[in-house]
């Protein structure tokens, strides 16, 4: 009997995991929050290893703080240090950079189907399809995480007593492979400033 129950639970787990990876449908939109509550954070599915569209840009986060006296600091790059460390250690890279890059992807990317739809709308200069409730929640969680993370990364921020923190995400398109050594090749950069977050709420 125990073997039967175990097999049923294992089968249910695989069904839920497969459901999380299916294309976007009304059914998925309705039940995905329940699926994510079960799968995350330890069993979430990620097929980036097999991604047919590798990244063709640089992404990262800048952050700045606002002190209690009203002074606003300069932006500080909280991404570059760990990306550099990962690139310098090919065999045993630090995974710290993934804390940022994963959340930056969550900020800028949604469902692949909706992303392609919005790209087509942008190209045709049509109004963009609004974010779904799930995308809004994901974005809000990413902003909160990146803001909290940034507080730990900016050295001597407001003498250790910041009042607020703001993050700025950047996406820099890389030039075509044939122009990779051309310093004049266009490198378009998109910048997005997030709302200020109270340090005490993080």
């Amino acid at each position: 009997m125990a073997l039967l129950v175990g097999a049923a639970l294992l089968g249910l787990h695989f069904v839920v995991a497969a459901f999380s990876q299916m294309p976007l449908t009304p059914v998925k939109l309705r039940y995905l929050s329940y699926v994510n509550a079960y799968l995350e954070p330890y069993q979430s599915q990620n097929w980036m290893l097999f991604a047919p569209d590798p990244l063709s840009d640089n992404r990262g986060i800048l952050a700045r703080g606002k002190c209690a006296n009203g002074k606003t600091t300069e932006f500080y790059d909280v991404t570059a240090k760990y990306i550099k460390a990962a690139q310098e250690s090919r065999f045993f890279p630090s995974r710290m950079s993934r804390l940022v890059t994963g959340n930056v992807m969550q900020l800028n990317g949604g469902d692949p189907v909706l992303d392609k739809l919005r790209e087509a709308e942008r190209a045709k200069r049509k109004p963009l399809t609004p974010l779904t409730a799930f995308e809004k929640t994901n974005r809000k969680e990413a902003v909160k995480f990146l803001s909290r993370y940034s507080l730990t990364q900016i050295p001597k921020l407001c003498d250790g007593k910041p009042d607020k923190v703001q993050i700025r995400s950047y996406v820099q398109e890389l030039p075509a492979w044939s122009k990779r050594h051309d310093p004049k090749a266009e490198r378009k950069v998109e910048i997005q400033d997030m709302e200020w977050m109270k340090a005490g709420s993080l």
Side-chain angles (χ1 to χ4, degrees):
M1 182 66 178
L3 190 61
L4 222 79
V5 171
L9 290 174
L10 187 63
L12 182 61
H13 169 78
F14 284 118
V15 167
V16 171
F19 178 84
S20 73
Q21 298 304 303
M22 68 184 282
L24 189 68
T25 64
V27 175
K28 183 176 181 179
L29 281 174
R30 182 171 181 182
Y31 295 108
L32 191 58
S33 59
Y34 300 107
V35 170
N36 285 338
Y38 166 70
L39 290 175
E40 292 178 359
Y42 302 111
Q43 301 176 70
S44 59
Q45 306 298 304
N46 187 333
W47 304 107
M48 291 294 287
L49 178 64
F50 310 104
D53 300 317
L55 288 178
S56 58
D57 51 44
N58 289 325
R59 299 175 181 222
I61 291 293
L62 306 175
R64 64 178 177 173
K66 187 173 283 187
C67 308
N69 62 8
K71 179 186 174 185
T72 301
T73 68
E74 297 292 322
F75 276 105
Y76 180 84
D77 191 334
V78 299
T79 311
K81 178 170 69 173
Y82 293 110
I83 290 178
K84 184 180 178 185
Q87 290 172 343
E88 288 175 352
S89 179
R90 296 293 184 182
F91 293 107
F92 303 102
S94 166
R95 295 184 177 233
M96 283 294 289
S97 62
R98 294 189 183 184
L99 289 175
V100 175
T101 53
N103 280 278
V104 171
M105 293 289 289
Q106 193 171 324
L107 262 183
N108 297 307
D111 185 275
V113 175
L114 287 175
D115 287 345
K116 287 181 180 177
L117 175 64
R118 290 183 186 118
E119 279 178 27
E121 290 169 341
R122 197 175 287 114
K124 294 177 181 177
R125 298 188 178 181
K126 289 183 175 181
L128 298 183
T129 300
L131 295 174
T132 64
F134 178 69
E135 287 175 309
K136 288 177 183 175
T137 302
N138 262 1
R139 182 186 173 88
K140 188 176 179 181
E141 288 175 356
V143 170
K144 189 171 183 179
F145 173 86
L146 290 167
S147 299
R148 186 187 312 125
Y149 172 81
S150 297
L151 283 174
T152 68
Q153 298 301 307
I154 305 176
K156 299 178 182 177
L157 177 61
C158 299
D159 295 322
K161 296 179 180 178
D163 184 45
K164 295 180 180 179
V165 65
Q166 181 187 37
I167 61 169
R168 168 181 286 178
S169 74
Y170 64 85
V171 179
Q172 179 191 35
E173 290 182 8
L174 299 177
W177 181 254
S178 59
K179 297 181 180 179
R180 65 190 182 280
H181 298 302
D182 181 0
K184 294 180 181 178
E186 186 179 358
R187 290 172 169 83
K188 183 181 174 186
V189 180
E190 287 185 14
I191 293 174
Q192 194 175 14
D193 286 341
M194 306 303 162
E195 65 273 15
W196 286 94
M197 301 283 288
K198 289 283 290 182
S201 69
L202 301 171

